[in-house]
Amino acid sequence: MTAIAVTIAGSDSGGGAGIQADLKTFSALGVYGASVITALTAQNTRGVQGIHDVPPAFIASQIDSVFSDLAVKAVKIGMLSQPAVIEAVAAGLQRHGAERVVLDPVMVAASGDPLLAPEAVETLRTTLIPRALLVTPNLPEAAAILGEPIAETEDAMRAQAERIMALGPRAVLVKGGHASGPESVDVLIGPDGMHRFAGVRVATRNTHGTGCSLSSAIAAGLARGAELLAAVDAAKAYISAAIAASDRLAIGHGHGPVHHFHRWW
């Protein structure tokens, strides 16, 4: 049976993040990708110039269209800019009994532009995070979810992951890409304890879409039937290679994208 995953996220007109990055990642990993678009952005490698939110009722219609016809095996959730959008997505997942949900709590673009309204954080915390199999915040996002300072040590990352897990998801992956040092360390807390994923930090400015692509790669693994730990491990290997190969691309004049198709071209 064909592995199918759906991304519920915003569109990036520059093609490096959001829906576009998710669909590229699914394709690169042998998974058929469907989409539910939650927002349109006027965006490029230099930043976000504008956001146009999709009405919640139409988001719900997209969810119903996809789930009523396609045998969706995993869901990746990205940019949800407003409380009503978060509520519409949570209700849609509930209607269709969606499982294997990977939630990337996108709050700020790589350029520093905000993508989530401040008043939406509490809705995300109480409505959608408890529905997720896995939540994948970076360091600033984990801090924002908890209303705490940004973690500066692995022990602090682990503690924040545990506190986010207490909100209801099955597992939490706190990503350390925003930290410094020769290694980039991610911390996974799940039902079977803690797992540490370390990789050599790549010196490149082409990191646009990294978080989107990692969470999509995890969802792709889950759609293909992998267990969570194996899906995270494989996704880390994929995104590390995509970042390492990003300088082979010449896209835009700001933070360029990772190389989703590094294995082929």
Side-chain angles (χ1 to χ4, degrees):
M1 181 178 291
T2 303
I4 301 173
V6 61
T7 167
I8 303 176
S11 169
D12 172 5
S13 56
I19 288 281
Q20 287 82 348
D22 297 339
L23 294 177
K24 290 173 185 178
T25 301
F26 292 160
S27 296
L29 297 175
V31 171
Y32 180 87
S35 63
V36 171
I37 298 178
T38 61
L40 307 178
T41 67
Q43 184 176 175
N44 54 32
T45 64
R46 288 172 165 165
V48 179
Q49 292 79 46
I51 297 175
H52 181 71
D53 291 310
V54 175
F58 192 71
I59 293 172
S61 294
Q62 293 178 76
I63 291 173
D64 291 342
S65 292
V66 171
F67 279 87
S68 66
D69 183 39
L70 278 59
V72 175
K73 298 299 183 184
V75 179
K76 177 268 170 81
I77 300 175
M79 177 186 175
L80 307 174
S81 60
Q82 302 292 332
V85 169
I86 296 171
E87 291 167 352
V89 170
L93 296 178
Q94 178 69 31
R95 274 196 308 281
H96 296 283
E99 299 179 351
R100 297 199 155 202
V101 174
V102 179
L103 170 61
D104 187 27
V106 177
M107 297 181 181
V108 179
S111 59
D113 295 287
L115 298 174
L116 181 72
E119 64 271 18
V121 176
E122 179 62 22
T123 308
L124 186 75
R125 185 187 295 120
T126 59
T127 304
L128 204 51
I129 285 178
R131 286 202 53 81
L133 168 64
L134 176 69
V135 182
T136 64
N138 60 30
L139 295 177
E141 290 160 353
I145 288 169
L146 296 168
E148 297 178 0
I150 295 175
E152 296 183 351
T153 66
E154 286 186 42
D155 286 344
M157 290 171 64
R158 175 175 181 166
Q160 289 194 342
E162 289 173 342
R163 286 193 283 278
I164 294 172
M165 190 170 167
L167 298 175
R170 292 278 308 282
V172 178
L173 179 70
V174 175
K175 301 173 295 189
H178 283 71
S180 58
E183 283 189 323
S184 177
V185 178
D186 298 348
V187 173
L188 175 68
I189 297 290
D192 58 348
M194 188 195 87
H195 299 273
R196 180 181 185 270
F197 300 89
V200 176
R201 192 176 297 278
V202 178
T204 178
R205 67 185 303 196
N206 295 330
T207 57
H208 186 52
T210 303
C212 301
S213 302
L214 176 62
S215 56
S216 299
I218 296 170
L222 295 172
R224 290 171 63 94
E227 293 302 318
L228 180 60
L229 182 58
V232 173
D233 194 36
K236 280 288 295 179
Y238 168 76
I239 197 62
S240 295
I243 294 170
S246 63
D247 286 347
R248 286 162 32 194
L249 301 176
I251 309 295
H253 298 86
H255 291 280
V258 302
H259 196 337
H260 294 96
F261 298 109
H262 57 273
R263 296 176 186 170
W264 294 274
W265 54 275

